[in-house]
Amino acid sequence: MTEKILNFMGLRKVATVFSAVLLLISIGSLAVNGLKMGLDFTGGSLVEVGYEQPADLNRVRGQLEAAGYDDAVVQTFGSPTDILIRLGQDHDPKLGDKVVAALQEGETQELTLRRNEFVGAQVGEELREQGGLGMLLALFMIMVYVAFRFQFKFSVGAVSALAHDVLIVLGFFSVFQLDFDLTVLAAVLAVIGYSLNDTIVVSDRIRENFRKVRKGSTIEIMNISLSQTLGRTLVTSLTTLLVLVALAVFGGEMIHGFAVALLVGVLIGTYSSIYVAANVLIMMNLTKEDLMPPEKEEEVDDRP
């Protein structure tokens, strides 16, 4: 039975334009809007209030504004009766009691203070710096590993794909102004690992076929390699996406950002393994000679 070879690289120019548009939108939004940093990074107070019956979020926001908390971010937390309130307030041990007192006015049901936490701005600044440095270090070490494991051109392709994925995930959170906290940062780092694994599998097959296929252009060998790994890529991505959709829908507010970041990352990572990493190899003019093992120099016998 003849294996069907799909012409992936026939769409490489379209894919290049698509990636360029996504990157421009992401970088533009990051430059103009920035990221909506969560309390882990900015510092502030977190108050969780329990209601006996489902709460009206618009009414809660109005009550807080009337009490002077204009910057309050209100959202449900797991269930309609659990309300999470984020405030950019200085440390106040009594803040939770004050918020509950403001919300209790005009309410017939009893409200319960479940949590009153404060994250210092200095801690947030340190976490932001360490997280960014950790990500840069991870990308550098990946480039070194892929260059050692395969070849320098492969390392450029792999790191280009990873940078592409990270920028688009960050851009997604910037465009839609979703909270960026430590769980989302963890998801971005997980995206790097997932995308790298996919890229390594594709790169390994490309290297193998460059050495095995005697006749065929670079684009033809790329298409053969991508077609051979397509089944594995789809099965891995689809099973991962099913779990992430379940987490995003049913996992609750605490891991919602984490699940959304991974959803976007897995989708764009699957795409980049095919079209970004392989496309960079073509742009860098990868040839069979690049992957041939160096010939051993024959020893010359100088004896008379």
Side-chain angles (χ1 to χ4, degrees):
M1 182 177 177
T2 305
E3 186 178 17
K4 185 176 181 180
I5 306 301
L6 302 175
N7 186 19
F8 285 100
M9 291 296 98
L11 296 173
R12 67 185 185 280
K13 293 182 180 178
V14 175
T16 301
V17 173
F18 177 69
S19 292
V21 170
L22 288 182
L23 288 173
L24 284 174
I25 293 173
S26 298
I27 294 171
S29 181
L30 287 168
V32 175
N33 301 325
L35 289 168
K36 184 182 177 184
M37 294 294 186
L39 292 182
D40 295 331
F41 296 107
T42 61
S45 297
L46 192 67
V47 179
E48 184 181 350
V49 180
Y51 282 68
E52 294 177 346
Q53 300 173 356
D56 183 347
L57 295 185
N58 290 327
R59 183 183 178 188
V60 172
R61 293 188 183 100
Q63 289 175 302
L64 291 172
E65 287 179 6
Y69 302 111
D70 297 328
D71 62 343
V73 177
V74 182
Q75 59 190 136
T76 55
F77 187 71
S79 71
T81 59
D82 294 330
I83 302 300
L84 194 66
I85 302 167
R86 301 172 187 265
L87 299 161
Q89 302 287 326
D90 294 331
H91 181 48
D92 182 0
K94 299 293 184 182
L95 180 63
D97 296 327
K98 294 176 182 178
V99 169
V100 171
L103 296 177
Q104 188 68 67
E105 293 183 11
E107 285 286 351
T108 57
Q109 57 181 313
E110 189 70 24
L111 306 187
T112 306
L113 176 62
R114 296 184 176 172
R115 184 167 30 144
N116 181 22
E117 296 179 356
F118 177 79
V119 179
Q122 182 61 36
V123 175
E125 184 179 346
E126 290 177 0
L127 290 172
R128 183 164 58 243
E129 291 177 357
Q130 291 174 5
L133 288 174
M135 191 177 300
L136 290 174
L137 179 61
L139 289 174
F140 174 74
M141 294 306 296
I142 286 167
M143 189 168 186
V144 172
Y145 164 74
V146 176
F148 177 77
R149 176 76 170 80
F150 294 95
Q151 198 260 356
F152 176 72
K153 293 180 181 179
F154 281 90
S155 71
V156 175
V159 171
S160 298
L162 296 181
H164 170 275
D165 299 344
V166 169
L167 282 173
I168 289 176
V169 172
L170 294 178
F172 180 87
F173 273 76
S174 176
V175 168
F176 294 100
Q177 285 296 285
L178 303 176
D179 280 347
F180 188 89
D181 53 24
L182 280 179
T183 62
V184 178
L185 176 60
V188 172
L189 294 175
V191 166
I192 291 176
Y194 180 91
S195 181
L196 175 64
N197 179 64
D198 223 18
T199 303
I200 291 287
V201 171
V202 173
S203 298
D204 193 50
R205 186 56 59 90
I206 290 172
R207 180 180 63 175
E208 180 183 340
N209 283 331
F210 261 96
R211 293 176 175 177
K212 186 171 65 174
V213 178
R214 301 195 174 205
K215 294 182 179 179
S217 63
T218 298
I219 291 178
E220 289 172 342
I221 295 175
M222 291 286 186
N223 285 331
I224 293 171
S225 305
L226 293 171
S227 298
Q228 290 174 346
T229 57
L230 180 63
R232 178 261 173 205
T233 299
L234 290 179
V235 169
T236 304
S237 298
L238 288 176
T239 52
T240 306
L241 288 172
L242 287 174
V243 175
L244 293 175
V245 168
L247 286 176
V249 176
F250 304 110
E253 198 64 38
M254 279 292 288
I255 60 171
H256 182 72
F258 176 83
V260 169
L262 275 178
L263 267 172
V264 177
V266 168
L267 285 172
I268 205 68
T270 302
Y271 158 82
S272 70
S273 297
I274 297 174
Y275 280 109
V276 177
N279 215 353
V280 168
L281 292 176
I282 292 177
M283 291 178 182
M284 297 187 72
N285 195 28
L286 181 71
T287 62
K288 293 184 179 181
E289 287 73 21
D290 292 325
L291 298 172
M292 291 297 177
E295 296 182 0
K296 294 182 179 179
E297 295 183 2
E298 296 182 0
E299 295 184 1
V300 179
D301 190 356
D302 295 331
R303 290 178 299 177

